[in-house]
Amino acid sequence: MLCLETTDLCHRYSAGEAVLHDIALAVPHASIYGFLGPNGAGKTTTLRLLLGLIRKQRGTISIFGRHLDEHRVEILRQVGSLIETPSLYEHLTAAENLALLQRIHRVPAARIAEVLERVGLAATRDKRAGQFSLGMKQRLGIAAAMLHRPALLILDEPTNGLDPNGIIEMRDLLIALNREEGTTVLVSSHLLAEVERLVSHVGIVHRGRLLFQGTLDALRRESQSAAHVSLHTADDGHALRLLADAGVPARCGSAGLVLPAMPPPHIAAINRRLVEQGVEVYAIGAQGGDLESIFMNLIGSRAA
Amino acid sequence: MNSVFVDAFRCEWLKRRRSLGAWLVAVGAFFTPAIITVVRLIRHATLPQLYADPLFWTLHWRNAWESMAIFFVPMAAILATSLVVQIEVRNNAWKQVHALPLHTATIFFAKFAVILLMLAQFFVLFVLGIYLSALLPALLVGGVAFPPAPPLRVFLADTALYYLDCLPIVAAQYLLSLRFNNFLVPIGIGFLAWIAALSALSWQYANLVPYAYTMLDFLKDNPDARRAVVSSGMHALAAAWSVLFVAAGYVGFATKAQKG
């Protein structure tokens, strides 16, 4: 069952080039969906459209099975969001910033202390947000987004400004929210490695087009098929002939020779054979078997 | 009143806490009464005669309103409105406001209601300041008769009309502040509009200028003022301009392509 679904979502800023082309997101209920893409890929524009912050030009947006156009207010009651930098009133304290939202969402006042505790800001509840570091502001932004126990959290690069420890804490918090409260989390990032241990589903967007969408396991399977061995020698032509004689299908790549993926002992054997035949091996190793490589491969080749 | 609107209003009211707009209301309202008090204490020799005048309150009231109606009320309306809207812009918070489960009309009118209440607060504090500026010199300077009870009903009626007179400025400034993110644009336009209104006071159609009503209201009882004849429908015109600007502001706000 889908929590959020878009079809044919397109957007163009005034008189400019289209920034989104037929985006069809399918975010399953109770999933953690990583919305990935390099800077300028269209992630924030998509998330802004999902919240109604930009007027939709084409396509449909459906959240909790209802169209955003017709049920915007009812939908937003169950959505928490953090888009780009946190929206905090710097002249107000952390607790006052949350009190504003507590009134609108009509949650008990005790919930303020609860979420501050959860994001590690309990000790600074009476400190003005203007005196917060970027990381603390980000945490307060997350606290604001989760104050009313939303069924869907939409977070745009929530780890911006966080130190490595903060990133781990944020990841644990989102996983806990997902597992304990069944919250669906849609989180954008430009770094796959950052969300790799967090997400269950992935959507990869580049230049406004959705290049991949599916489970993280499906992406991993794709990454396996893209794995290869790269070889860089003093004489690639000679090496290519020796490999052909040995029955290893190799080809010339942009930075040396490219061989099919193989187990480490086979790589060692090829290295040994080349050295024995007088070929100087500068570098040899497995490449492209990790998610980051498939991500880079996707945005580098499919969008071209 | 809709309970969602009340919650939105309370939320907006909390936002102005410790803000520049809130300080402006408190300090601005007491500025003229404080000046009057200081001047009277300096010129204390003239006080016995002034306080013995049977028209003491009328003179005192006009004296206090002179700078307010001409300068401070239009300036307070321009600045307070722009500052309240600027809270969202400066904190990059419009996107959060628009992502709340509130209708656009609730967001628009809750903020406008806060501005109106702040301005009402400004007027009430000013009237209190006028009262204190009459009492303090009498208490501090010996030989000065204590003023009689003020004609409160007249003062309140006058104040209410001045409040109505400044609503077109508030509504126009609200429209401009929502339209332009740069704080200087609405303030600059507001200031120019005030100068234009000041220049138009002697024009026969001065009562059509939306920024002129507080000035015209003050000058209407002053036979020496360089002003044109003011129609009796001045307050109705002020109300009409206000409604027009609020409606235009709402249409602009609701149809914005990018919210925050």
Side-chain angles (χ1 to χ4, degrees):
Chain A
M1 185 186 161
L2 294 178
C3 173
L4 185 153
E5 190 178 13
T6 69
T7 53
D8 304 326
L9 204 56
C10 297
H11 193 76
R12 177 190 302 273
Y13 287 107
S14 55
E17 198 183 328
V19 289
L20 293 180
H21 307 267
D22 306 322
I23 297 289
L25 289 181
V27 180
H29 175 73
S31 65
I32 303 183
Y33 187 102
F35 191 41
L36 302 167
N39 292 330
K43 302 187 295 292
T44 302
T45 302
T46 306
L47 299 187
R48 282 176 167 270
L49 280 165
L50 296 181
L51 291 165
L53 295 175
I54 304 177
R55 200 187 307 139
K56 183 165 60 65
Q57 294 165 349
R58 213 183 83 192
T60 61
I61 299 170
S62 173
I63 301 177
F64 311 127
R66 292 192 286 187
H67 284 286
L68 185 69
D69 296 338
E70 293 135 42
H71 303 279
R72 189 181 149 273
V73 172
E74 294 90 325
I75 288 169
L76 290 178
R77 274 197 196 108
Q78 300 175 68
V79 176
S81 62
L82 172 61
I83 301 296
E84 296 174 309
T85 51
S87 300
L88 302 172
Y89 300 96
E90 300 204 337
H91 59 290
L92 300 180
T93 66
E96 286 169 344
N97 266 285
L98 296 180
L100 298 172
L101 303 172
Q102 176 245 328
R103 286 172 188 179
I104 300 294
H105 292 301
R106 298 180 178 183
V107 292
R111 178 73 180 149
I112 292 173
E114 215 175 291
V115 290
L116 284 173
E117 178 76 44
R118 191 132 197 195
V119 297
L121 292 176
T124 52
R125 59 168 290 138
D126 295 322
K127 191 174 173 179
R128 289 191 199 180
Q131 298 168 336
F132 276 20
S133 67
L134 186 58
M136 288 165 81
K137 284 180 181 173
Q138 205 71 9
R139 284 161 193 262
L140 187 54
I142 298 284
M146 59 187 261
L147 182 75
H148 55 298
R149 291 195 170 88
L152 170 65
L153 259 181
I154 297 178
L155 307 173
D156 188 13
E157 313 229 4
T159 51
N160 272 355
L162 294 182
D163 55 25
N165 196 39
I167 292 173
I168 293 168
E169 282 175 15
M170 176 74 68
R171 192 168 61 213
D172 293 346
L173 171 66
L174 295 179
I175 290 172
L177 279 175
N178 176 255
R179 287 190 186 152
E180 292 163 19
E181 300 182 22
T183 310
T184 305
V185 182
L186 170 56
V187 56
S188 81
S189 177
H190 59 274
L191 298 170
L192 177 60
E194 196 176 82
V195 293
E196 197 179 327
R197 275 180 279 177
L198 167 69
V199 301
S200 57
H201 292 71
V202 176
I204 295 177
V205 65
H206 185 51
R207 292 183 189 160
R209 292 182 198 280
L210 195 62
L211 304 180
F212 174 87
Q213 180 168 238
T215 63
L216 191 64
D217 288 340
L219 184 64
R220 284 204 171 104
R221 281 195 296 277
E222 190 148 333
S223 75
Q224 290 307 314
S225 66
H228 62 275
V229 171
S230 78
L231 171 65
H232 185 34
T233 68
D235 185 352
D236 283 350
H238 187 196
L240 198 59
R241 283 192 297 278
L242 291 173
L243 290 169
D245 292 346
V248 179
R251 60 182 171 82
C252 284
S254 56
L257 301 176
V258 179
L259 288 65
M262 62 187 74
H266 291 204
I267 296 173
I270 286 174
N271 181 45
R272 197 163 48 245
R273 176 188 282 258
L274 290 172
V275 171
E276 282 168 2
Q277 297 293 325
V279 177
E280 286 181 48
V281 176
Y282 295 155
I284 185 166
Q287 300 282 324
D290 58 309
L291 286 175
E292 202 63 44
S293 301
I294 187 65
F295 175 60
M296 295 308 293
N297 187 41
L298 272 170
I299 63 173
S301 61
R302 285 198 196 172
Chain B
M1 200 185 291
N2 186 328
S3 66
V4 176
F5 181 82
V6 173
D7 288 334
F9 175 82
R10 287 175 63 211
C11 170
E12 292 295 334
W13 187 250
L14 178 57
K15 284 179 196 173
R16 51 145 279 291
R17 186 185 284 183
R18 291 191 290 273
S19 68
L20 199 56
W23 283 108
L24 177 89
V25 163
V27 175
F30 285 110
F31 184 76
T32 299
I35 296 290
I36 290 173
T37 308
V38 171
V39 169
R40 286 192 180 163
L41 289 176
I42 292 169
R43 296 180 186 167
H44 54 85
T46 61
L47 291 187
Q49 191 190 347
L50 176 67
Y51 276 70
D53 194 321
L55 291 174
F56 168 77
W57 277 113
T58 309
L59 295 171
H60 182 66
W61 183 250
R62 282 197 63 77
N63 186 217
W65 270 105
E66 189 173 11
S67 59
M68 282 298 276
I70 304 295
F71 181 73
F72 284 113
V73 168
M75 283 303 118
I78 291 168
L79 288 173
T81 308
S82 303
L83 286 170
V84 167
V85 177
Q86 195 62 24
I87 289 175
E88 305 296 350
V89 179
R90 203 181 58 231
N91 295 299
N92 197 13
W94 272 123
K95 61 180 189 287
Q96 178 176 276
V97 172
H98 285 289
L100 289 172
L102 295 172
H103 288 285
T104 307
T106 309
I107 297 169
F108 179 88
F109 287 105
K111 196 171 279 298
F112 189 56
V114 164
I115 296 167
L116 293 182
L117 190 60
M118 278 174 72
L119 217 65
Q121 203 180 28
F122 177 76
F123 277 81
V124 169
L125 291 176
F126 174 63
V127 171
L128 180 68
I130 293 177
Y131 184 63
L132 291 176
S133 66
L135 291 190
L136 282 177
L139 288 171
L140 298 173
V141 179
V144 176
F146 207 70
L152 261 182
R153 190 167 293 196
V154 176
F155 286 3
L156 290 177
D158 265 7
T159 307
L161 288 177
Y162 276 122
Y163 184 73
L164 177 62
D165 294 336
C166 79
L167 290 186
I169 305 179
V170 177
Q173 288 301 131
Y174 192 47
L175 181 159
L176 291 168
S177 303
L178 291 173
R179 175 69 186 80
F180 299 101
N181 282 342
N182 188 335
F183 175 65
L184 293 174
V185 178
I187 300 264
I189 295 175
F191 195 70
L192 288 175
W194 171 72
I195 292 172
L198 203 61
S199 314
L201 287 178
S202 54
W203 184 39
Q204 60 175 323
Y205 298 115
N207 61 340
L208 292 176
V209 179
Y211 282 62
Y213 296 118
T214 56
M215 297 185 256
L216 291 173
D217 201 354
F218 177 76
L219 296 174
K220 71 178 187 293
D221 299 327
N222 186 348
D224 301 327
R226 275 196 319 121
R227 58 164 185 84
V229 176
V230 174
S231 82
S232 55
M234 187 178 72
H235 301 301
L237 278 168
W241 273 119
S242 308
V243 171
L244 186 72
F245 285 137
V246 169
Y250 178 69
V251 170
F253 184 69
T255 55
K256 241 181 171 179
Q258 279 204 62
K259 297 174 175 176

